[in-house]
Each structure stands twice: as C-alpha cells, then as structure tokens.
Amino acid sequence: MASNLKNLSDFSHTTVPSAKPFRFGIVVAAWNAEVTGNLYRGAYDSLLKHGAEEENIISVEVAGSYELIAGADILLSKQQLDAVICLGCVIQGETRHFDFICNAVANGIAQVGIKHTKPVIFGVLTTDNQEQALDRAGGKHGNKGDEAAITAIKIADMSNSLK
Ligand SMILES: Nc1c(NC[C@H](O)[C@H](O)[C@H](O)CO)[nH]c(=O)[nH]c1=O
Ligand SMILES: CC(=O)[C@@H](O)COP(=O)(O)O
C-alpha cells in the first residue's frame, strides 16, 4: 500500500510485542542528515516506547546508505543482536547513480541478514525529492523509522517464540 494511503507511524491496527528482552542495532546514514536524523529519532523512541532498554540499543553512523551494508555486517559480527535496523535516505539526482545505490543497498542488506541469520530491517527512504523524504520522516505520512523499529520488534519476538 502506498505511503500516501497509510501512516507509517500508525500501529493501532496491530499488537506490538514487548521489546524488553531484545538487543537491537541501529545503523544510520549521514547523507541527508536532516531526514535520517528524524528516522533515527523515530526508531529509537519507538524501541524505548515498547520496552527496549537503552543499553540494549547499539547505534552506529555510516557515511551513506551504501555503507549501511557494511555497517550492519560489522555490527552483527561484533555484537550479540536480535535485529538490526538500517536507516537511510536516497534522493534521486541527475544521474542513474540513484538506481545503483538503491538496488545495491536493498540487495546488500538482505544478504547481510542471510549471512548472519538475523533480521536486518530496510528502513531506507528512496524518493524523488527531499519533500517526499521529509513527509515520510516525521511528516504527513508518519515516520519510516517508527515502522522499521516495530518491524524489528515483531520479528525478534517471532524468532524468540520459536526457540
Ligand atoms: N546520493 C546519496 C548517497 N550517495 C552516497 C552513497 O551512499 C555512498 O556513501 C557513496 O557512493 C560511497 O560509497 N547516499 C545516500 O544515503 N543518499 C543519497 O541520496
Ligand atoms: C542517489 C545519489 O547518489 C544522487 O543523489 C547523486 O546525485 P547525481 O545523480 O546528480 O550525481
């Protein structure tokens, strides 16, 4: 469903498990920091709201969305985590670079999750312009950081229930 038909921060339709038992990594890209900072705040606050302990949230920053791949891999190699949330914002420029970055990041993040058998959440905005990005980072369409955090909690809980 397109973001303009739902709110990325509305979870009134679903039950969110407690995040208290779990350890989370957050990797945030510095590119478009006015957007990714909002995504980070949304994700961090959502984890705390649902019971995560501050000491169980390990946050790191990387240069751009392309480095989210390596950042998630490094975090999972060095920390015992139940899920990693990757936050970035890729905005179309004049060239096809956007396409290469978006495809690489989506595929790369998926491969990291498979490598470590851990959920790695794709919290990356891929927009035509900054307005669309801000609308999805605490604006009229909610905050994709919230959505990414709730997704991480749910899959960590699912995994834990199968142990
Ligand atoms: N144009 C955007 C980038 N580009 C930088 C790449 O992500 C990467 O850091 C560089 O290619 C070096 O490896 N990154 C974003 O996150 N958002 C953009 O709009
Ligand atoms: C997604 C990008 O790397 C892009 O913003 C870079 O801009 P340009 O395509 O004009 O070089």
Side-chain angles (χ1 to χ4, degrees):
M1 179 187 293
S3 295
N4 62 7
L5 299 176
K6 58 173 281 191
N7 186 288
L8 294 166
S9 302
D10 178 9
F11 298 96
S12 58
H13 60 288
T14 185
T15 301
V16 182
S18 171
K20 188 172 182 62
F22 308 119
R23 297 191 81 238
F24 300 93
I26 303 179
V27 192
V28 57
W31 257 80
N32 299 312
E34 66 279 14
V35 174
T36 61
N38 292 352
L39 296 178
Y40 176 78
R41 177 52 56 193
Y44 187 83
D45 289 352
S46 291
L47 291 175
L48 295 183
K49 173 183 175 183
H50 290 283
E53 306 282 355
E54 286 189 24
E55 60 266 27
N56 288 337
I57 303 173
I58 314 303
S59 300
V60 295
E61 183 181 88
V62 294
S65 291
Y66 188 83
E67 285 71 37
L68 291 171
I69 303 165
D73 191 25
I74 291 165
L75 261 186
L76 286 166
S77 298
K78 294 181 178 291
Q79 292 279 336
Q80 285 297 319
L81 300 170
D82 295 290
V84 172
I85 299 163
C86 291
L87 302 172
C89 175
V90 189
I91 300 175
Q92 176 65 65
E94 296 177 349
T95 72
R96 294 168 54 228
H97 195 236
F98 171 88
D99 298 331
F100 289 99
I101 294 293
C102 294
N103 288 328
V105 173
N107 292 323
I109 284 175
Q111 291 304 312
V112 170
I114 293 167
K115 171 183 174 181
H116 293 276
T117 319
K118 292 287 184 180
V120 180
I121 309 307
F122 184 74
V124 181
L125 294 173
T126 55
T127 66
D128 294 332
N129 53 57
Q130 187 183 49
E131 180 181 6
Q132 287 180 350
L134 290 169
D135 285 346
R136 291 157 176 80
K140 65 182 179 182
H141 295 316
N143 191 325
K144 196 157 190 72
D146 297 352
E147 179 194 60
I150 301 303
T151 301
I153 295 167
K154 286 186 172 183
I155 197 165
D157 183 69
M158 178 273 282
S159 177
N160 191 49
S161 70
L162 296 176
K163 282 181 180 173

